[in-house]
Coordinates of all heavy atoms in Angstrom, one line a residue:
Y147 N 122.9 102.3 111.8 CA 122.8 101.8 113.2 C 124.1 101.3 113.7 O 124.8 100.5 113.0 CB 121.7 100.6 113.2 CG 121.4 100.1 114.6 CD1 120.4 100.5 115.3 CD2 122.3 99.1 115.1 CE1 120.1 100.0 116.6 CE2 122.0 98.6 116.4 CZ 120.9 99.1 117.1 OH 120.7 98.5 118.4
F148 N 124.4 101.6 114.9 CA 125.6 101.1 115.5 C 125.2 100.4 116.8 O 124.6 101.0 117.7 CB 126.7 102.1 115.8 CG 127.9 101.5 116.4 CD1 128.9 100.9 115.6 CD2 128.1 101.4 117.8 CE1 130.0 100.3 116.1 CE2 129.2 100.7 118.3 CZ 130.2 100.2 117.5
G149 N 125.6 99.1 117.0 CA 125.4 98.3 118.2 C 126.7 98.0 118.8 O 127.5 97.3 118.2
D150 N 126.9 98.4 120.1 CA 128.2 98.2 120.7 C 128.3 96.8 121.3 O 128.5 96.6 122.5 CB 128.5 99.3 121.7 CG 130.0 99.4 122.1 OD1 130.8 98.6 121.5 OD2 130.3 100.3 122.9
T151 N 128.2 95.8 120.5 CA 128.1 94.4 120.9 C 129.3 93.9 121.7 O 129.2 92.9 122.4 CB 127.7 93.5 119.7 OG1 128.6 93.9 118.6 CG2 126.3 93.6 119.3
A152 N 130.4 94.5 121.4 CA 131.7 94.1 122.1 C 131.7 94.5 123.6 O 132.3 93.9 124.4 CB 132.9 94.6 121.4
R153 N 130.9 95.6 123.9 CA 131.1 96.2 125.2 C 129.8 96.2 126.0 O 129.7 96.7 127.1 CB 131.6 97.6 125.1 CG 133.0 97.6 124.3 CD 133.6 99.0 124.3 NE 132.9 100.0 123.5 CZ 133.5 101.1 123.2 NH1 134.7 101.4 123.5 NH2 132.8 102.0 122.5
V154 N 128.7 95.6 125.4 CA 127.4 95.4 126.1 C 127.7 94.5 127.3 O 128.5 93.6 127.2 CB 126.4 94.8 125.1 CG1 126.7 93.4 124.7 CG2 125.0 94.9 125.6
P155 N 127.0 94.7 128.5 CA 126.0 95.7 128.7 C 126.5 97.0 129.2 O 127.6 97.0 129.8 CB 125.2 95.0 129.9 CG 126.3 94.2 130.6 CD 127.2 93.7 129.6
Y156 N 125.8 98.1 129.0 CA 126.1 99.4 129.6 C 125.5 99.5 130.9 O 125.9 100.3 131.7 CB 125.6 100.5 128.7 CG 126.3 100.8 127.4 CD1 127.4 100.0 127.0 CD2 126.0 101.9 126.6 CE1 128.1 100.3 125.8 CE2 126.7 102.2 125.5 CZ 127.8 101.4 125.1 OH 128.4 101.7 123.9
G157 N 124.4 98.8 131.1 CA 123.5 98.9 132.3 C 124.2 98.8 133.6 O 123.8 99.3 134.7
S158 N 125.3 98.1 133.7 CA 126.0 97.8 135.0 C 127.3 98.6 135.0 O 128.1 98.5 135.9 CB 126.3 96.4 135.1 OG 127.0 95.9 133.9
K159 N 127.6 99.5 134.0 CA 128.9 100.3 133.9 C 128.7 101.7 134.5 O 127.6 102.1 134.7 CB 129.4 100.3 132.5 CG 129.7 98.9 132.0 CD 130.6 98.9 130.8 CE 131.1 97.5 130.5 NZ 130.1 96.5 130.0
S160 N 129.8 102.3 134.7 CA 129.8 103.6 135.4 C 129.4 104.7 134.4 O 129.5 104.5 133.1 CB 131.1 104.0 136.0 OG 132.0 104.2 134.9
R161 N 129.0 105.9 134.9 CA 128.6 107.0 134.0 C 129.8 107.4 133.1 O 129.7 107.6 131.9 CB 128.3 108.2 134.9 CG 128.0 109.5 134.1 CD 127.7 110.6 135.1 NE 126.5 110.4 135.9 CZ 125.3 110.8 135.5 NH1 125.1 111.4 134.4 NH2 124.2 110.5 136.3
D162 N 131.0 107.4 133.7 CA 132.2 107.8 132.9 C 132.5 106.8 131.7 O 132.8 107.2 130.6 CB 133.5 107.8 133.8 CG 133.5 109.0 134.7 OD1 132.6 109.9 134.5 OD2 134.5 109.1 135.5
T163 N 132.3 105.6 132.0 CA 132.6 104.6 131.0 C 131.5 104.7 129.9 O 131.9 104.7 128.7 CB 132.6 103.1 131.6 OG1 133.6 103.1 132.6 CG2 132.8 102.1 130.5
V164 N 130.3 104.8 130.3 CA 129.2 104.8 129.3 C 129.3 106.1 128.4 O 129.2 106.1 127.2 CB 127.8 104.7 130.0 CG1 126.7 105.0 129.0 CG2 127.6 103.4 130.6
T165 N 129.8 107.2 129.1 CA 129.9 108.5 128.4 C 131.1 108.4 127.4 O 131.0 108.8 126.2 CB 130.2 109.6 129.3 OG1 129.1 109.7 130.3 CG2 130.2 111.0 128.6
R166 N 132.2 107.7 127.8 CA 133.3 107.6 126.9 C 132.9 106.7 125.7 O 133.2 107.0 124.5 CB 134.5 106.9 127.7 CG 135.8 106.8 126.9 CD 137.0 106.4 127.8 NE 136.8 105.1 128.4 CZ 137.1 104.0 127.8 NH1 137.5 104.0 126.5 NH2 137.0 102.8 128.4
Y167 N 132.3 105.6 125.9 CA 131.8 104.7 124.8 C 130.9 105.5 123.9 O 131.0 105.4 122.7 CB 131.0 103.5 125.4 CG 131.8 102.5 126.1 CD1 131.2 101.4 126.8 CD2 133.2 102.5 126.2 CE1 131.9 100.4 127.4 CE2 133.9 101.6 126.9 CZ 133.3 100.5 127.5 OH 133.9 99.5 128.2
S168 N 130.0 106.3 124.5 CA 129.0 107.0 123.7 C 129.7 108.0 122.8 O 129.3 108.2 121.6 CB 127.9 107.7 124.5 OG 127.3 106.7 125.3
R169 N 130.7 108.7 123.3 CA 131.4 109.7 122.6 C 132.1 109.0 121.3 O 132.1 109.6 120.2 CB 132.6 110.2 123.4 CG 132.2 111.5 124.0 CD 133.4 112.2 124.5 NE 132.9 113.2 125.5 CZ 133.1 113.1 126.8 NH1 133.9 112.1 127.3 NH2 132.6 114.0 127.6
Q170 N 132.7 107.9 121.6 CA 133.3 107.2 120.4 C 132.3 106.8 119.3 O 132.6 107.0 118.1 CB 134.0 105.9 120.9 CG 135.2 106.1 121.7 CD 135.8 104.8 122.3 OE1 135.1 103.9 122.6 NE2 137.1 104.8 122.4
I171 N 131.2 106.4 119.8 CA 130.1 106.0 118.8 C 129.6 107.2 118.0 O 129.4 107.2 116.8 CB 129.0 105.3 119.5 CG1 129.5 104.0 120.1 CG2 127.9 104.9 118.5 CD1 128.5 103.3 121.1
V172 N 129.5 108.3 118.7 CA 129.0 109.6 118.1 C 130.1 110.0 117.0 O 129.7 110.4 115.9 CB 128.8 110.7 119.1 CG1 128.7 112.1 118.5 CG2 127.5 110.4 119.9
R173 N 131.3 109.9 117.4 CA 132.4 110.2 116.4 C 132.3 109.3 115.2 O 132.4 109.7 114.0 CB 133.8 110.1 117.0 CG 134.1 111.3 117.9 CD 135.6 111.4 118.2 NE 136.0 110.5 119.2 CZ 136.1 110.8 120.5 NH1 135.8 112.0 120.9 NH2 136.5 109.9 121.3
F174 N 132.0 108.0 115.4 CA 131.9 107.1 114.3 C 130.7 107.5 113.4 O 130.8 107.5 112.2 CB 131.7 105.6 114.8 CG 131.2 104.7 113.7 CD1 132.1 104.3 112.7 CD2 129.9 104.3 113.7 CE1 131.6 103.4 111.7 CE2 129.4 103.4 112.7 CZ 130.3 103.0 111.7
L175 N 129.6 107.8 114.1 CA 128.4 108.1 113.3 C 128.6 109.4 112.5 O 128.1 109.6 111.4 CB 127.2 108.2 114.2 CG 126.7 106.9 114.8 CD1 125.6 107.2 115.9 CD2 126.2 106.0 113.7
Q176 N 129.3 110.4 113.1 CA 129.6 111.6 112.4 C 130.5 111.4 111.2 O 130.3 112.0 110.2 CB 130.2 112.7 113.3 CG 129.1 113.2 114.3 CD 129.5 114.5 115.0 OE1 130.4 114.5 115.9 NE2 128.9 115.6 114.6
A177 N 131.3 110.4 111.3 CA 132.2 110.0 110.2 C 131.3 109.4 109.1 O 131.7 109.4 107.9 CB 133.3 109.1 110.6
Q178 N 130.2 108.9 109.4 CA 129.2 108.4 108.4 C 128.3 109.5 107.8 O 127.4 109.2 107.1 CB 128.3 107.3 109.0 CG 129.1 106.1 109.6 CD 130.1 105.5 108.7 OE1 129.8 105.1 107.6 NE2 131.3 105.4 109.2
K179 N 128.6 110.7 108.3 CA 127.9 111.9 107.8 C 126.3 111.8 108.1 O 125.5 112.1 107.2 CB 128.0 112.1 106.3 CG 129.5 112.1 105.8 CD 129.9 113.5 105.4 CE 131.3 113.7 105.0 NZ 132.3 113.4 105.9
V180 N 126.0 111.5 109.3 CA 124.6 111.5 109.7 C 124.1 112.9 110.0 O 124.9 113.8 110.3 CB 124.4 110.6 111.0 CG1 124.7 109.1 110.7 CG2 125.1 111.1 112.2
K181 N 122.9 113.1 109.8 CA 122.3 114.5 110.0 C 121.8 114.7 111.4 O 121.5 115.8 111.8 CB 121.2 114.8 108.9 CG 120.0 113.9 109.0 CD 119.0 114.2 108.0 CE 117.9 113.2 108.0 NZ 116.9 113.3 106.9
A182 N 121.5 113.6 112.1 CA 121.0 113.7 113.4 C 121.3 112.3 114.1 O 121.5 111.3 113.4 CB 119.5 113.9 113.4
I183 N 121.2 112.3 115.5 CA 121.6 111.1 116.2 C 120.5 110.8 117.2 O 120.0 111.6 117.9 CB 123.0 111.2 116.9 CG1 124.1 111.3 115.8 CG2 123.2 110.0 117.8 CD1 125.5 111.5 116.4
V184 N 120.1 109.5 117.2 CA 119.2 109.0 118.3 C 120.0 108.1 119.2 O 120.6 107.1 118.8 CB 118.0 108.3 117.7 CG1 117.1 107.7 118.8 CG2 117.2 109.2 116.7
V185 N 120.0 108.4 120.5 CA 120.6 107.6 121.5 C 119.6 106.6 121.9 O 118.7 106.8 122.7 CB 121.1 108.4 122.7 CG1 121.9 107.5 123.7 CG2 122.0 109.6 122.3
A186 N 119.6 105.4 121.2 CA 118.5 104.4 121.4 C 118.8 103.5 122.6 O 118.5 102.3 122.5 CB 118.3 103.7 120.1
C187 N 119.4 104.0 123.6 CA 119.8 103.2 124.8 C 119.4 104.0 126.0 O 119.8 105.2 126.1 CB 121.3 102.9 124.7 SG 121.9 102.1 126.2
N188 N 118.6 103.4 126.9 CA 118.2 104.2 128.1 C 119.4 104.6 128.9 O 119.5 105.7 129.4 CB 117.2 103.4 128.9 CG 115.9 103.3 128.2 OD1 114.9 104.0 128.5 ND2 115.7 102.4 127.2
T189 N 120.3 103.6 129.1 CA 121.4 103.9 130.0 C 122.3 105.0 129.4 O 122.7 105.9 130.2 CB 122.3 102.6 130.2 OG1 121.4 101.5 130.5 CG2 123.3 102.7 131.3
A190 N 122.6 104.9 128.1 CA 123.4 106.0 127.5 C 122.7 107.3 127.5 O 123.3 108.4 127.7 CB 123.8 105.6 126.1
S191 N 121.3 107.3 127.3 CA 120.6 108.5 127.4 C 120.6 109.1 128.8 O 120.8 110.3 129.0 CB 119.1 108.3 127.1 OG 118.9 107.8 125.8

Side-chain angles (χ1 to χ4, degrees):
Y147 182 95
F148 183 84
D150 200 358
T151 43
R153 305 187 292 194
V154 66
Y156 283 9
S158 52
K159 296 198 169 70
S160 69
R161 179 183 293 270
D162 282 358
T163 300
V164 172
T165 305
R166 184 167 65 81
Y167 290 174
S168 301
R169 259 193 204 113
Q170 287 176 324
I171 299 168
V172 163
R173 283 199 281 266
F174 165 73
L175 291 173
Q176 288 197 287
Q178 306 306 309
K179 307 252 180 297
V180 298
K181 63 182 173 186
I183 292 178
V184 176
V185 184
C187 172
N188 287 263
T189 313
S191 299

